[in-house]
Amino acid sequence: MNPFTDFVAIDWSGQAVAHPRGLAVAHARAGTAAPELVTPEGGWSRGGILSRLTELADAGTRALIGLDLSPAFPFVDHGAYFPGWSESPADAKALWALVEHISQNDPHLAAGSFVAHPEAKRHFRQRFDCGDLFPAGRGRFRVVEHGQAAMRLSPYSCFNLVGASQVGKSSLTGMRVFHRLAGRIPFWPFDPVPEKGPVLVEIYTALAARLAGMRKGVSKIRDRETLDAMLSTFGSAQHRPLLRYDDHATDAILSAAWLRHAAGRAELWAPTGMTPHIARTEGWTFGVE
């Protein structure tokens, strides 16, 4: 695999507004300089990030781009994303197309129409509306999410749309972006890693923090000293001080440094638990072995 020159970490958001507060982007170059937080005037929108990724593709930038979301729903446990629905897609790319089709009129690349669909909504837990096919307990999980739990992380089911830590809304809005990027930027492991140009991967920002030494039970970085100490574990120089330390900014900065640190580890690109079927339907979180 040809080495990467650029490393981009994106903390995503499913908030259905023009400029979600949770969107954050950090960019690092090969070497040891700390990642820089990239913030356009007015803040990021999902459309703005889509445009930025398209620019990287057009420029042929050899970038490893990590997004903190789940690019697919569980499939392996029941042999389908949406058991009992005749339109349930056969693989992740068809899932992205279905989410885009049903949500095409939703502004800001949101996906409210999808979770309101009479067949889809049966599988989701929403506020004041739990679908009859959402199982008891925490919900369904992808194979890689069981791997995350084995690493003492705390994954949430993509079908859960309730609570501050839910990832379902982020995942659905991300699927609309991935559908639009299809053919422009490969997404590992749904696509093979190209020898040139950028590639997308799924990341879990809590994994980077845990590998940097953050103890279980402490989930966020909110000060300069802690961020610099964790960056140093990934061979990064100290970062340029931020005007405001929030979870999204520090997650993105640390994750960009970790992507640079981990990109050359061959075993992370060939995890033992990932089969071709899983790679096509559920995908995999980069860094889960």
Side-chain angles (χ1 to χ4, degrees):
M1 181 193 305
N2 290 331
F4 294 98
T5 62
D6 295 74
F7 305 86
V8 179
I10 303 174
D11 198 32
W12 200 251
S13 172
Q15 190 180 14
V17 296
H19 296 278
R21 290 183 302 169
L23 290 178
V25 179
H27 180 201
R29 301 191 186 278
T32 60
E36 293 279 349
L37 196 65
V38 181
T39 307
E41 185 175 354
W44 284 110
S45 65
R46 282 183 286 268
I49 290 179
L50 174 60
S51 296
R52 175 58 180 152
L53 296 180
T54 302
E55 290 171 3
L56 292 175
D58 291 343
T61 304
R62 185 61 172 162
L64 178 58
I65 305 161
L67 295 103
D68 182 31
L69 47 73
S70 298
F73 291 118
F75 188 104
V76 173
D77 58 349
H78 292 308
Y81 298 118
F82 306 102
W85 185 12
S86 61
E87 293 186 44
S88 184
D91 59 32
K93 292 186 178 182
L95 173 63
W96 303 344
L98 180 65
V99 173
E100 170 65 18
H101 174 69
I102 293 176
S103 306
Q104 60 185 308
N105 293 323
D106 290 13
H108 318 309
L109 292 173
S113 294
F114 188 82
V115 298
H117 187 281
E119 288 293 338
K121 69 183 297 186
R122 299 180 66 193
H123 298 267
F124 290 99
R125 179 164 63 194
Q126 304 185 58
R127 190 174 301 278
F128 310 121
D129 184 10
C130 186
D132 64 299
L133 295 180
F134 187 93
R138 299 177 62 211
R140 296 169 58 195
F141 287 89
R142 297 183 296 154
V143 172
V144 72
E145 289 158 354
H146 291 294
Q148 294 170 6
M151 298 175 73
R152 301 183 67 240
L153 298 170
S154 302
Y156 279 72
S157 171
C158 300
F159 287 113
N160 174 37
L161 306 182
V162 179
S165 298
Q166 61 85 18
V167 295
K169 294 177 183 177
S170 293
S171 300
L172 284 161
T173 59
M175 290 175 197
R176 295 195 62 187
V177 171
F178 304 148
H179 176 72
R180 295 178 182 215
L181 286 173
R184 303 294 299 274
I185 304 181
F187 196 140
W188 178 88
F190 309 107
D191 303 299
V193 179
E195 288 301 314
K196 59 182 181 180
V199 62
L200 299 165
V201 295
E202 171 195 354
I203 59 173
Y204 189 171
T205 57
L207 173 59
R210 186 63 49 79
L211 294 174
M214 181 175 282
R215 69 183 186 276
K216 186 174 178 61
V218 178
S219 60
K220 298 299 179 182
I221 306 166
R222 296 189 174 94
D223 64 85
R224 174 181 178 178
E225 293 75 19
T226 301
L227 179 56
D228 277 337
M230 293 193 169
L231 285 170
S232 70
T233 67
F234 299 138
S236 172
Q238 295 184 351
H239 71 287
R240 181 182 300 175
L242 307 177
L243 293 177
R244 178 171 173 265
Y245 286 81
D246 63 46
D247 304 346
H248 309 294
T250 57
D251 281 350
I253 290 171
L254 185 63
S255 294
W258 172 73
L259 280 172
R260 180 172 62 190
H261 178 77
R265 292 179 54 189
E267 71 274 17
L268 297 184
W269 297 100
T272 57
M274 186 181 73
T275 66
H277 178 64
I278 292 172
R280 186 175 68 255
T281 57
E282 294 191 348
W284 201 263
T285 310
F286 185 70
V288 177
E289 300 182 43

